[in-house]
Structure formats: C-alpha cells, structure tokens
Amino acid sequence: MKQRNGKPLLAGSTIGILGGGQLGRMMALSGSAMGYRFVALDPTEDAPCGQVAEQIVAAYNDREAARELAQRSDVITYEFENVDAGVAAMLMEESYVPQGSELLYTTQHRLREKRAIEASGVRVAPYREIASADELRAGVEAFGTPCVLKTATGGYDGKGQWVIRSAAEIDEAYETLAKAGTELVLEQFIRFDKELSVIAARSTTGEVKTFPAAENIHVDNILHLSIVPARIPDGVQREAEHLAARIAEGLGVAGLIAVELFWSEKDGLYVNELAPRPHNSGHYTMEACRTSQFEQHVRAICGLPLGDTSLLTPVVMVNVLGQHVEPLLERMAQPDEAAKAHGVAPKVHLYGKQDAVHKRKMGHVNVLAESTDKALQYIEDTNIWKV
C-alpha cells in the first residue's frame, strides 16, 4: 500500500470517495466545511454526492476510472462495503487507502465477518455454513425455528435473507437463496429485547473513540428509528461501546465501523453485523453530538485528532422513505405547530435522489428534544410515517 509520511492530511487535500450516494454526500458536506475537497466515483449521473462534489461517472469495477480517482485524490475512502475489493486492492498500490482492502474483503462476506468478530473475542449469534438443503435441514433441527438463512455476500435492508419459521420452508428457502451463487449462512434466531448499534472511529494514528449507542427500530427490515440515548441500562451502554472499540482495534479499522448488536436482558449482547463506514444509525450525530460521524470519519482517515463524541441532546432519527417525501415537503411549507407543542426541533436532511420510490431511503429527520419520549410523540403526531 502506498504509505503516507506519517503527517496528517490537512485542509486543502482532496478526498476521493468510492461511491456517490447519500453517505458520500454527507461526508463531503461535512468535510468541505473543514476545508477539504472531494471527488466521487459513481455510475449514476448526478448522484447525491455528485451534487455537492466533483464526480467521475463510471462503474465501480472500471479500473481506469478508479485510476483517475487515485490521480485526483490525496486519500481514498469508500461509502459502502459492496465496492469491488479487487479495485480497492489495486488502488492500494497506486494511492493512499488507509482503510485498505482487507477489512472490505472481510465485511463483504458474512462468514468471514463472523469469524473475524470471534477472533476479536466478541460473541456473535450461533451460526453454520450451509452448502446443501440437507445441511440446512440439520441446522434448522439444531437451532430450532425461527432461524435465519442469509446469503454470505450482498443483501441489505432485509434482502438476501429468509426467516425460516417451519421445516416446510426449508427446501424453498434453500433453492431461493442458493440462486445468488454464493455461500449461505444459517443463524440462530436471537430473541432480543433491543437492537442496538455503536459507531466506533479509529484514526490512522490508532486513537479510538465511540459514539453513544443507538436503539434501532426496523419496519419491514428497513431502519425506521434510531433512539438516543438508547433505553437500556447504563452498564449495557458501556459494554456495547467497549465491544465496538474492541472490534475497531482488533480489525485494525481506519475510519468508522458500525457495530450492530442484539441485546437480550437474559443473555446479554451479541454482535449481529458490521459496516466499515458511516452508517444510517449514526445520522443522529449530525446535530445531537459535538462531532458528527461524518466529520469523525474525515478526521480518522486524514490522521487528525478525533473529535468529542459527547451527546448534546436527546434525539430520535427517523428515516424518510419514498412514500414519506410528499407529506414531509407539505409539512415543511407550513408552520410546524406540532414541533412547537412538543418543544422539539426537527432537522431535515434530504439526499437529492431523483425518484421517490416506495421504501427507498430519500432522507432522514433528526428530532432534537428534551426527551426521546417527546421526539417519538412528535413523530407519531405528524402522521407522515403512517403513509
């Protein structure tokens, strides 16, 4: 890998981003305020990041376009983990990619990821590699139902997985997911009380900091709410942050890593999945913390001291999907009486995507409040998210 000289990359440097979606957009907006320049590589014309930064329009596996990105950048990062690992490895030879390709290689594959988490001394839900319908049958018998069959690669927002609720589903589940042409993994279903996530940052200097844990609520396998402070005991909050820091150090992270967890009051914490980048459940940090996850990522990959992650105010982040855009825009055009009544401050972030497709993430709203109960009541009363 092309190495830096040990000095931090300062304002005026150019950060290249593999991917031009909303995470790149918010990273560029935050980093631009710090004086950095940005260029993104994304196949979509006028991608969200391309609206606020320079953009190279090309496929992610286009090596010549990747070389152009390298030539125009002082450091390269990525905004989602399904980047071609081969391209990332090539860029390591020609540019400065502090995140490297090894972590990308690991987190692109659920089996490799689980083994890496276990190697860090952190617990994951019991799992088995599945290579046939007979192996799946044996796994379901061992784990009981429900249990979850997933493709080892690809899949997000509930895609690439099947919750097996009875033995009658085994053959169909196997045949359906096996079409993806990748390994399959069966996970024991964890009967959790809360879904949590912690964003951890590790700088190229080795400094590590974590953000407060978020309590996450999903609807149709898509993140709906992130509630901070999470409604969990203080000891669980500390343990979740400790586990995230341990994983960041154990995997040699440079930048951010999102650690998704299940918490059971009976059985404790299990790590579910990792994402080596800014994460949807960390969007609350944009107004609610002294440092946002996006500023922290820039600081980490550029070798700057990490920022203070203290929470300034209770907050609930609510995702804006395609079906929510029109009622949200209508509300934004009028005085927000509900916000006044509840004493909350809604902060709207829209991503600049062209088509408001049903269930597509189009933006989010951070509802700042004296308590998360007030923020949740405001979200309920607006009726936007009942559409």
Side-chain angles (χ1 to χ4, degrees), residues 82 107-110 150-156 159-160 182 273:
N82 290 325
T107 55
Q108 283 179 339
H109 192 283
R110 284 191 170 95
K150 298 180 179 180
T151 56
T153 60
Y156 62 94
K159 300 177 177 66
T182 182
E273 291 184 345

Side-chain angles (χ1 to χ4, degrees), residues 68-244:
E68 181 185 348
L69 182 70
Q71 291 165 2
R72 295 171 61 177
S73 305
D74 297 297
V75 59
I76 291 176
T77 184
Y78 43 80
E79 62 127 32
F80 71 116
E81 57 266 47
N82 290 325
V83 172
D84 187 294
V87 167
M90 181 218 38
L91 286 172
M92 288 177 64
E93 298 298 322
E94 302 189 12
S95 185
Y96 177 49
V97 189
Q99 290 160 285
S101 62
E102 186 174 339
L103 182 59
L104 195 64
Y105 175 79
T106 299
T107 55
Q108 283 179 339
H109 192 283
R110 284 191 170 95
L111 285 166
R112 291 195 291 263
E113 179 177 277
K114 290 177 184 299
R115 291 163 185 156
I117 295 168
E118 289 176 317
S120 296
V122 178
R123 183 171 62 164
V124 298
Y127 66 95
R128 288 189 178 191
E129 182 175 357
I130 301 297
S132 69
D134 286 340
E135 288 186 4
L136 178 58
R137 199 166 283 108
V140 171
E141 185 174 342
F143 289 158
T145 55
C147 53
V148 187
L149 183 66
K150 298 180 179 180
T151 56
T153 60
Y156 62 94
D157 291 344
K159 300 177 177 66
Q161 59 182 265
W162 187 301
V163 179
I164 297 174
R165 303 187 185 279
S166 72
E169 299 178 53
I170 289 173
D171 288 333
E172 185 181 2
Y174 179 79
E175 290 171 10
T176 300
L177 295 192
K179 291 176 183 176
T182 182
E183 297 99 323
L184 302 178
V185 57
L186 183 69
E187 298 176 4
Q188 183 173 319
F189 190 85
I190 300 296
R191 298 187 183 281
F192 56 85
D193 293 294
K194 303 284 186 183
E195 286 187 81
L196 307 172
S197 61
V198 176
I199 310 295
R202 182 175 180 273
S203 171
T204 55
T205 67
E207 183 184 12
V208 176
K209 287 192 176 182
T210 57
F211 288 92
E215 174 189 343
N216 299 320
I217 295 174
H218 292 77
V219 174
D220 296 333
N221 295 310
I222 300 172
L223 181 63
H224 174 46
L225 301 172
S226 289
I227 302 166
V228 186
R231 297 169 295 185
I232 53 176
D234 289 344
V236 177
Q237 171 84 245
R238 289 191 294 271
E239 184 183 359
E241 292 185 31
H242 173 74
L243 292 180

Side-chain angles (χ1 to χ4, degrees), residues 17-31 38 40 42 47-50 52 77-81 199 256 258 275-283 286 293-295 297-298 319 351 353 361 364:
I17 307 176
L18 280 167
Q22 63 260 28
L23 299 178
R25 177 191 181 97
M26 289 181 278
M27 191 191 307
L29 287 169
S30 182
F38 287 83
D42 193 280
C49 187
V52 300
T77 184
Y78 43 80
E79 62 127 32
F80 71 116
E81 57 266 47
I199 310 295
L256 297 189
R277 52 169 172 77
H279 194 259
N280 194 174
S281 67
H283 292 349
M286 295 174 76
Q293 66 165 341
F294 299 103
E295 178 185 337
H297 183 74
V298 170
N319 268 331
Y351 304 149
K353 295 181 181 180
K361 291 175 184 174
H364 69 273

Side-chain angles (χ1 to χ4, degrees), residues 362-378:
M362 302 297 293
H364 69 273
V365 180
N366 287 333
V367 183
L368 313 180
E370 292 179 1
S371 70
T372 55
D373 285 344
K374 287 189 175 183
L376 289 167
Q377 191 60 57
Y378 166 79

Side-chain angles (χ1 to χ4, degrees), residues 217 223-227 280 283-284 315-321 324 328 346-351 362-367 375-376 378-380 382 384-386:
I217 295 174
L223 181 63
H224 174 46
L225 301 172
S226 289
I227 302 166
N280 194 174
H283 292 349
Y284 79 87
V315 59
V316 176
M317 188 284 301
V318 56
N319 268 331
V320 176
L321 306 183
H324 307 138
L328 176 65
K347 302 295 183 179
V348 177
H349 299 266
L350 294 174
Y351 304 149
M362 302 297 293
H364 69 273
V365 180
N366 287 333
V367 183
L376 289 167
Y378 166 79
I379 291 166
E380 177 75 14
T382 63
I384 292 169
W385 289 274
K386 294 179 180 177

